[in-house]
Amino acid sequence: MATRITRTSGAMRKAPKQARSRATIDAILDAAAHILGERGWSAFTTNAVAETAGVSIGSLYQYFPDKLALIDAVRRRHFDDVLAVLQAGANPEIPRTRRIAALVDGMIAVHSRHPAAHRVLMEESPRGDTSRSAHDRFELACRKAYEALFIANASGGSHHVRLAAQVLAGALAGAVHEAARQGQLASPVLRWELVTLVNAYLSRARPVSVSRSEKVPAVRV
Amino acid sequence: MATRITRTSGAMRKAPKQARSRATIDAILDAAAHILGERGWSAFTTNAVAETAGVSIGSLYQYFPDKLALIDAVRRRHFDDVLAVLQAGANPEIPRTRRIAALVDGMIAVHSRHPAAHRVLMEESPRGDTSRSAHDRFELACRKAYEALFIANASGGSHHVRLAAQVLAGALAGAVHEAARQGQLASPVLRWELVTLVNAYLSRARPVSVSRSEKVPAVRV
Amino acid sequence: MATRITRTSGAMRKAPKQARSRATIDAILDAAAHILGERGWSAFTTNAVAETAGVSIGSLYQYFPDKLALIDAVRRRHFDDVLAVLQAGANPEIPRTRRIAALVDGMIAVHSRHPAAHRVLMEESPRGDTSRSAHDRFELACRKAYEALFIANASGGSHHVRLAAQVLAGALAGAVHEAARQGQLASPVLRWELVTLVNAYLSRARPVSVSRSEKVPAVRV
Amino acid sequence: MATRITRTSGAMRKAPKQARSRATIDAILDAAAHILGERGWSAFTTNAVAETAGVSIGSLYQYFPDKLALIDAVRRRHFDDVLAVLQAGANPEIPRTRRIAALVDGMIAVHSRHPAAHRVLMEESPRGDTSRSAHDRFELACRKAYEALFIANASGGSHHVRLAAQVLAGALAGAVHEAARQGQLASPVLRWELVTLVNAYLSRARPVSVSRSEKVPAVRV
DNA sequence: AATGAATGAGAGTTCATTCAT
DNA sequence: TATGAATGAACTCTCATTCAT
């Protein structure tokens, strides 16, 4: 039950020198992503990945020194895809409304293929050292994309662009996750609501200041 | 690494008849919540819980038929706490602004003790049968709390109250999760931004209709 | 899975001094026999016995030092019953035919209450030291009863009365066990066949001498 | 102490592709049979089997999905051996006297290697689904072999051939088991008595009809 | 390079037995 | 004396990883 991963895993055991190697690696990554998305983290065993990929377990370990390196590779590849989505909507030439729509559509698309995989990669699976920088680059890129929306939009005037961008990112991701869990990703109403959410927050209808409510019940855990 | 849980677990094995039992059960639940929050699901082994609780593994199994029943019990106890928070802000007599603030403060409070625990309980750990009804009651209560905000507020006029409430719930949870991950739960700015988010969405600044953006890059996984 | 019994168990921890003790012991023995017969050896746990008997596990251990002593006590009590059956048919005044019928009926009766219990007691459950002498007395009495049949019947003229008696005992027990397994204990035809079996063997229709068959295939295990 | 087996086990986990596998499987089965025969069911733990076989516990589980599948495999292999013995004596060309001798010798041989193993396999150890059909085939073959003796022998004229065959099978098995327990399997006198038993029953010296004896003492358990 | 048999630490769970109350 | 909570050794089974072929 525990994650028996101790070794600090290096990136990839060997660089693909031949086309065959590259094909093997891709088969392994595809199989890994597939299992993660369809059957979840608990079914993600190295033996299962190797079998699904149609290679021997020995071959898998020839390319990935351990399980951590494997999941990191999957994550890296997934990040690239998501970044492509985000940047497609980052062009400042496009009107803001259209960019918001592109953002929402992109997020929906990201979660539509294998709804579980994204969440598993982001939240459930352990991170190796390799993943660190890739993950940082990813978060940076995401933040930039969201910040760009705020910056382009002077109306709100928040001086906490960075935190606001983070809130927006978390909110959109959370709403999409929940919709994915409910199987509503394809709903046009959902899309509309998400667009509304982003738009409204960017427009920042100013609330009246509120003081901290006096009594919040204690919460265990 | 895998979650080797198959048996469908019943609630609790035996009702405590002596005061000592109750103390043991509480120690176990506290230890379970603590491990879950501080060290995550992968460190959540029955033996670790028993040891942390200062009881023998046999005692743990005297009260919880299996690991699933244990995690379910933790979840149920946590749900009760969260529900208390939500209902504290559900009183329609209180002005909307104040209720929103209470909601945000409640969510922040919920995640402040063991930031990871909430997420782990909600997303990462498997659910037993026992948990099902408790979870349903919980989701219903959450939805009601959020819907109440929309209903009280006629301005938006959305006919999809339920979905909008779900979007808001997911968005707020996501933003809070992300803030918890960044260690910003105590920040007043964060609180302000979350209040702004809820307020803005409830006010539903109507965006101009947007057509689906033509090209969204494909996303693997 | 293993039988974790190591201690050499003494007979019974304390002699029943009061009527209440006697009642408790009987309740425990009844519960033990019941579980053994209805649910088999694998369900025969000390906790289950205590619960079925309606006493605490502590009380059980007050009277039986360990599980071995308990099962031995059950066995002893069962032996007494079987011996009573056997001796009822041992009276030499009664004609042989009638005695054989009584023997067969007795064996059928012995297995009719809880078909599984007899087998479990005889074959499946471990024997403690206490049981040794009781078991010896039992086997002796059985043998005597069977030998009496041979002795009364001079016709066969076997000089190996003891071994023949043992063969007869084993054969009858085996046939009855098999019938019990098939649920045929109540069948009159079965009874008739068993009587025939005993009768025929006692009459010892002399077979022609046979030489050892030359080739018997080897058998593993 | 209890048999903690619940899962319904499938046959064998994977077919051996290399010679090494076959050797491992055989070593495991041999070790399993050995432990069963020499030290009984209670010593039959998966770790003990693996250790005796000189392989790791992991290897054992590579080929047998669980303990049930292992014991079933042992049983199947044993059945095959016993069937070979029985059929060796089933040839109708051979005179009846010789066939009876072959049967008795076969049964003695079956129990001579590991006297306890046969009994344990037949009576004491739990059965998986795999074992079911093999066991049925086995019982059928046994019955056929015994029935053949009755059918060939018109003298008795019993119309209950099937039940008579079952009685004979049970009787012979019981007598052999008892002899095995007493360590008398090698005794020529025992062999002679067994032959006599079978012969006598087949010849069915007709007993005078007997009425059910009136009073059979009650038997507990 | 590739294969897949083998390994073994470690996780979940049971139950005979003890001992504070 | 009686109770039942507590104990922990022992057992079944998994899966990341290695290595002979």
Side-chain angles (χ1 to χ4, degrees):
Chain A
M1 200 139 234
T3 302
R4 237 165 303 153
I5 292 182
T6 49
R7 187 194 329 189
T8 310
S9 66
M12 224 182 288
R13 191 164 273 185
K14 62 201 292 183
K17 290 173 188 168
Q18 304 170 6
R20 184 149 60 111
S21 298
R22 187 66 243 169
T24 301
I25 290 177
D26 280 339
I28 293 171
L29 289 178
D30 285 343
H34 183 257
I35 289 180
L36 222 41
E38 301 300 309
R39 297 165 51 206
W41 172 250
S42 70
F44 187 77
T45 70
T46 52
N47 281 284
V49 170
E51 191 181 3
T52 301
V55 304
S56 70
I57 181 67
S59 292
L60 188 154
Y61 275 87
Q62 201 114 64
Y63 294 107
F64 302 95
D66 55 29
K67 197 177 177 177
L68 226 47
L70 175 58
I71 191 82
D72 277 353
V74 175
R75 211 186 333 254
R76 265 201 310 283
R77 207 177 62 157
H78 181 62
F79 283 168
D80 291 343
D81 292 345
V82 176
L83 282 180
V85 163
L86 287 182
Q87 271 142 15
N91 185 351
E93 313 256 317
I94 302 174
R96 190 177 70 116
T97 313
R98 196 170 226 97
R99 284 162 64 196
I100 292 175
L103 177 67
V104 166
D105 287 337
M107 289 298 286
I108 289 178
V110 163
H111 290 82
S112 292
R113 319 292 155 152
H114 296 285
H118 183 73
R119 190 184 63 69
V120 169
L121 282 173
M122 297 302 290
E123 302 182 337
E124 200 171 342
S125 45
R127 282 163 218 287
D129 290 343
T130 341
S131 190
R132 200 62 258 174
S133 71
H135 192 253
D136 287 347
R137 274 194 301 111
F138 177 68
E139 292 220 319
L140 188 68
C142 286
R143 191 151 32 89
K144 284 282 175 265
Y146 282 100
E147 286 180 3
L149 286 175
F150 277 92
I151 290 165
N153 164 33
S155 68
S158 166
H159 297 311
H160 297 285
V161 174
R162 179 168 167 173
L163 202 139
Q166 175 200 295
V167 164
L168 181 57
L172 185 52
V176 171
H177 280 182
E178 184 58 27
R181 185 149 41 225
Q182 308 284 345
Q184 301 162 335
L185 283 185
S187 154
V189 180
L190 172 78
R191 180 180 179 252
W192 172 260
E193 290 294 332
L194 293 176
V195 168
T196 301
L197 174 71
V198 176
N199 242 314
Y201 186 51
L202 286 176
S203 305
R204 334 203 89 249
R206 193 71 48 87
V208 293
S209 178
V210 289
S211 63
R212 180 169 291 273
S213 62
E214 296 75 25
K215 286 203 335 176
V216 177
V219 177
R220 256 176 319 206
V221 169
Chain B
M1 200 142 225
T3 302
R4 232 163 308 150
I5 293 183
T6 47
R7 187 182 343 176
T8 313
S9 67
M12 222 190 290
R13 191 165 269 186
K14 66 199 278 185
K17 290 178 184 171
Q18 301 179 2
R20 192 160 42 131
S21 303
R22 189 67 244 170
T24 299
I25 290 178
D26 283 338
I28 292 170
L29 288 177
D30 286 343
H34 183 257
I35 288 181
L36 223 41
E38 302 301 310
R39 298 165 52 206
W41 170 250
S42 70
F44 187 77
T45 70
T46 52
N47 281 284
V49 171
E51 191 178 3
T52 301
V55 303
S56 71
I57 182 63
S59 289
L60 190 156
Y61 277 92
Q62 194 126 55
Y63 297 107
F64 303 96
D66 54 31
K67 198 177 173 175
L68 227 48
L70 174 58
I71 192 88
D72 277 354
V74 175
R75 213 187 328 256
R76 263 200 312 283
R77 204 176 65 156
H78 183 62
F79 282 169
D80 290 342
D81 293 345
V82 176
L83 283 179
V85 163
L86 288 181
Q87 271 141 15
N91 185 352
E93 313 256 316
I94 302 175
R96 189 176 69 114
T97 314
R98 193 168 228 99
R99 283 162 64 197
I100 293 176
L103 178 66
V104 167
D105 288 338
M107 288 298 285
I108 289 177
V110 162
H111 290 81
S112 292
R113 319 293 155 151
H114 296 284
H118 184 72
R119 189 185 61 71
V120 170
L121 282 173
M122 296 303 289
E123 302 182 339
E124 200 170 338
S125 41
R127 282 163 217 286
D129 288 345
T130 335
S131 192
R132 199 61 256 173
S133 71
H135 192 252
D136 287 346
R137 273 193 303 113
F138 178 68
E139 292 219 319
L140 188 68
C142 286
R143 189 148 37 84
K144 284 282 174 265
Y146 283 100
E147 286 181 3
L149 285 176
F150 276 91
I151 290 165
N153 165 32
S155 67
S158 167
H159 296 312
H160 298 285
V161 173
R162 182 169 166 170
L163 201 137
Q166 176 199 296
V167 164
L168 182 57
L172 184 52
V176 171
H177 282 180
E178 183 59 27
R181 186 145 44 222
Q182 308 285 344
Q184 301 162 335
L185 282 184
S187 154
V189 180
L190 172 77
R191 180 179 179 255
W192 173 260
E193 290 295 332
L194 293 176
V195 169
T196 300
L197 174 71
V198 176
N199 243 313
Y201 185 50
L202 287 176
S203 304
R204 334 201 92 249
R206 193 71 49 87
V208 293
S209 179
V210 289
S211 64
R212 182 170 290 274
S213 61
E214 295 75 24
K215 285 204 333 177
V216 177
V219 178
R220 255 176 320 208
V221 168
Chain C
M1 200 140 235
T3 301
R4 237 164 303 151
I5 292 181
T6 47
R7 181 178 355 171
T8 310
S9 66
M12 222 182 287
R13 190 164 274 187
K14 64 199 291 180
K17 290 174 187 166
Q18 306 169 6
R20 183 149 60 110
S21 298
R22 188 65 244 171
T24 301
I25 290 178
D26 280 339
I28 293 171
L29 290 178
D30 285 343
H34 183 257
I35 289 180
L36 222 42
E38 301 301 309
R39 297 165 52 206
W41 172 248
S42 71
F44 187 77
T45 70
T46 51
N47 281 285
V49 170
E51 192 181 2
T52 302
V55 303
S56 70
I57 182 64
S59 291
L60 189 155
Y61 275 87
Q62 201 114 62
Y63 293 108
F64 302 95
D66 55 29
K67 197 177 176 176
L68 226 48
L70 174 57
I71 191 81
D72 278 352
V74 176
R75 211 186 332 256
R76 265 201 309 283
R77 207 177 62 157
H78 182 62
F79 282 168
D80 291 342
D81 292 345
V82 176
L83 281 180
V85 163
L86 287 181
Q87 270 142 15
N91 184 352
E93 312 257 315
I94 302 174
R96 189 177 71 116
T97 313
R98 194 168 227 99
R99 284 162 64 196
I100 293 175
L103 177 67
V104 167
D105 288 338
M107 288 298 285
I108 290 177
V110 163
H111 289 81
S112 292
R113 320 290 156 151
H114 297 284
H118 184 72
R119 191 183 63 69
V120 169
L121 282 172
M122 298 302 291
E123 302 181 337
E124 200 170 339
S125 44
R127 280 163 219 289
D129 291 341
T130 340
S131 190
R132 200 61 257 174
S133 71
H135 193 252
D136 287 346
R137 274 193 301 112
F138 177 67
E139 291 220 319
L140 187 69
C142 286
R143 190 149 35 85
K144 284 284 175 260
Y146 282 101
E147 285 180 5
L149 285 176
F150 276 92
I151 290 166
N153 165 34
S155 67
S158 167
H159 295 310
H160 298 285
V161 173
R162 180 167 165 173
L163 202 139
Q166 176 200 295
V167 164
L168 182 57
L172 184 52
V176 170
H177 281 181
E178 183 59 28
R181 186 148 40 225
Q182 307 285 345
Q184 300 162 337
L185 282 185
S187 153
V189 179
L190 172 78
R191 180 180 181 252
W192 171 260
E193 289 295 332
L194 293 176
V195 169
T196 301
L197 174 72
V198 177
N199 242 315
Y201 186 50
L202 286 176
S203 305
R204 334 202 91 248
R206 193 71 49 88
V208 293
S209 177
V210 288
S211 62
R212 181 169 292 272
S213 61
E214 295 75 25
K215 286 203 333 176
V216 177
V219 177
R220 256 175 318 206
V221 167
Chain D
M1 201 141 223
T3 302
R4 233 162 308 150
I5 292 183
T6 47
R7 186 181 347 176
T8 312
S9 68
M12 224 190 286
R13 190 165 270 187
K14 67 199 278 186
K17 289 178 185 172
Q18 299 180 2
R20 192 158 43 129
S21 304
R22 189 65 246 171
T24 300
I25 291 178
D26 283 338
I28 292 171
L29 288 178
D30 286 343
H34 183 257
I35 288 180
L36 224 40
E38 302 301 309
R39 298 166 49 208
W41 171 249
S42 70
F44 187 78
T45 71
T46 51
N47 280 289
V49 170
E51 192 179 2
T52 301
V55 303
S56 71
I57 183 64
S59 289
L60 189 156
Y61 277 92
Q62 194 125 56
Y63 297 107
F64 303 95
D66 54 30
K67 197 176 175 176
L68 226 48
L70 175 57
I71 192 88
D72 278 354
V74 176
R75 212 186 332 254
R76 265 200 311 282
R77 204 176 65 158
H78 182 62
F79 282 169
D80 290 341
D81 293 345
V82 175
L83 282 180
V85 163
L86 287 181
Q87 271 142 14
N91 184 351
E93 312 257 314
I94 302 175
R96 189 177 70 114
T97 313
R98 195 170 226 99
R99 283 162 65 197
I100 292 176
L103 177 68
V104 167
D105 289 336
M107 288 299 286
I108 289 177
V110 162
H111 290 80
S112 292
R113 317 293 154 152
H114 296 285
H118 183 73
R119 188 184 63 70
V120 171
L121 281 172
M122 297 302 290
E123 302 181 338
E124 200 170 339
S125 40
R127 281 162 218 288
D129 288 344
T130 336
S131 191
R132 199 62 255 173
S133 71
H135 192 252
D136 287 347
R137 274 193 302 113
F138 178 67
E139 291 219 319
L140 188 68
C142 287
R143 189 149 36 85
K144 284 280 174 267
Y146 283 101
E147 287 181 2
L149 285 175
F150 277 92
I151 291 165
N153 167 30
S155 67
S158 166
H159 295 313
H160 298 286
V161 173
R162 181 167 167 172
L163 201 139
Q166 176 200 296
V167 165
L168 182 57
L172 184 53
V176 171
H177 281 179
E178 184 58 29
R181 187 146 44 221
Q182 308 286 344
Q184 301 161 336
L185 283 184
S187 152
V189 180
L190 172 77
R191 180 180 180 253
W192 171 260
E193 289 296 331
L194 293 177
V195 169
T196 300
L197 174 71
V198 177
N199 241 314
Y201 186 50
L202 287 176
S203 305
R204 332 201 94 249
R206 193 70 50 87
V208 293
S209 178
V210 288
S211 63
R212 180 170 292 273
S213 61
E214 296 77 23
K215 287 202 333 174
V216 177
V219 177
R220 255 175 320 204
V221 168

